[in-house]
Structures are given as C-alpha cells and as structure tokens.
Amino acid sequence: MAEVYVIGQITGASGFPNQNLFCKWAIHTGGAWKVIAGLREGQTQVDNPQNDAFAVWSHPIDVHLATKGLQGWPKMKFEVYHQDEFGRSELYGYGFVHIPTSPGTHDIECVTWRPTGSYREQIKQFFVGGAPQLKNPDMVQSAERYTLSTVAMGKVYLQLGVIFRNFDKYGVEC
C-alpha cells in the first residue's frame, strides 16, 4: 500500500478576539485510508500569551497513513476555543485544510469561521456568552458549509512535513 507520513506541529493561532485559546484537531480521510501509527485527533494546551498577538501551541503532529487509492485525501479539521477566567470554554471557530499533496515541508495557514446564528442568538451571546455551534461537525469540510451565515475569525498556523512512500509501486506519480 502507498504510505503518507505527516510530521510537524500546530504552531499557534492569531486574529481571534480574545486570548486563552486552545484547539481541538482531527484528521479525516476517505474509506480507502487507514492510520498505521499516530493519533487521528487531539487537543492543544490553553495558551495565555503575554503579547496579545499570537497564541503559541507548538503541538506535535505525527501520523503514518496508508491507502489503496487517492480518493478521500486526508484533511485536518480544527475547532478553536476560548477559555474564560471561570474555566468555561466558548467556541471561537471552525476550519480545515487538506494535507499537502506534494512531499516536503509546508507552512500552512488555516482560516477559521463560526456560525453567526439568528439575531436573537447574537444578542444572547453578547450578554450571556456561548456561541452557536454546528449540530453536525462534519459540515465543516462539506459543501453545506456555504449555506450557513458565518463570520470570519482568526487563523491557525501549521508546519507540516509530508513524506510519500511506495506511491511509484502503485502507479501514482508525485
């Protein structure tokens, strides 16, 4: 089977309204893919930066994938949360990126967004807190996402190294 190694880190995030951010991440693939080694999902620590510009996570990513076909190429999904002074977590944004399709080192920016909700939900969010969330988190990487009313949030930064193995044996040219 053809193999893909993804090694790198979720560097951090910027552009969000508040700090004390953490990120939940997951790797999604099609049916022909399987994880040989490494974690398919995880969560960073909460970062409270001294300068309000950039939350640093430096969270490691190390996953080894195998496939019989290219359909369902791997993608990484992100959910960024803000933790307030009482330890409550509020969703700040969703985002996803495809794992690069060329070997080498890649610096990636993942733009994030969140649903705006109705006018009533926006008023409630302002006074009480808590943002609207998706009932189906898989909507983040589907075309249905474009039917939602959303607002742009910050960016998540990644540094990924991608290594291919045995693609030539299975007729795939890189």
Side-chain angles (χ1 to χ4, degrees):
M1 290 179 22
E3 300 174 26
V4 177
Y5 296 86
V6 180
I7 303 164
Q9 66 177 334
I10 302 172
T11 310
S14 68
F16 289 92
N18 292 314
Q19 296 305 315
N20 289 2
L21 302 174
F22 68 94
C23 178
K24 294 181 180 181
W25 61 272
I27 296 177
H28 293 272
T29 61
W33 293 80
K34 69 177 184 176
V35 175
I36 295 176
L39 298 176
R40 189 179 276 269
E41 60 187 24
Q43 178 177 316
T44 68
Q45 79 279 359
V46 177
D47 182 41
N48 185 7
Q50 297 300 316
N51 68 355
D52 291 335
F54 193 83
V56 178
W57 293 320
S58 299
H59 184 81
I61 303 291
D62 188 357
V63 66
H64 180 187
L65 303 157
T67 184
K68 295 179 182 177
L70 293 179
Q71 266 188 320
W73 189 264
K75 51 190 149 221
M76 289 188 73
K77 184 177 81 169
F78 302 97
E79 295 178 5
V80 179
Y81 291 85
H82 162 72
Q83 189 175 64
D84 67 13
E85 60 272 11
F86 303 110
R88 298 177 298 192
S89 299
E90 177 182 359
L91 175 73
Y92 261 21
Y94 295 102
F96 85 96
V97 294
H98 288 276
I99 300 295
T101 57
S102 61
T105 304
H106 305 273
D107 290 323
I108 302 168
E109 290 183 5
C110 175
V111 295
T112 62
W113 56 271
R114 74 173 179 198
T116 55
S118 67
Y119 182 71
R120 182 178 178 169
E121 290 171 327
Q122 291 176 26
I123 297 292
K124 178 185 167 222
Q125 178 184 354
F126 179 79
F127 288 108
V128 180
Q133 296 185 16
L134 297 176
K135 289 181 181 178
N136 180 7
D138 292 335
M139 196 177 214
V140 172
Q141 67 256 14
S142 74
E144 292 177 56
R145 174 245 190 269
Y146 299 105
T147 63
L148 298 173
S149 175
T150 62
V151 62
M153 295 303 281
K155 294 181 181 178
V156 175
Y157 299 93
L158 299 103
Q159 292 177 334
L160 297 179
V162 180
I163 302 169
F164 292 164
R165 182 172 175 222
N166 296 332
F167 270 65
D168 54 342
K169 290 182 183 178
Y170 293 93
V172 179
E173 293 184 21
C174 302

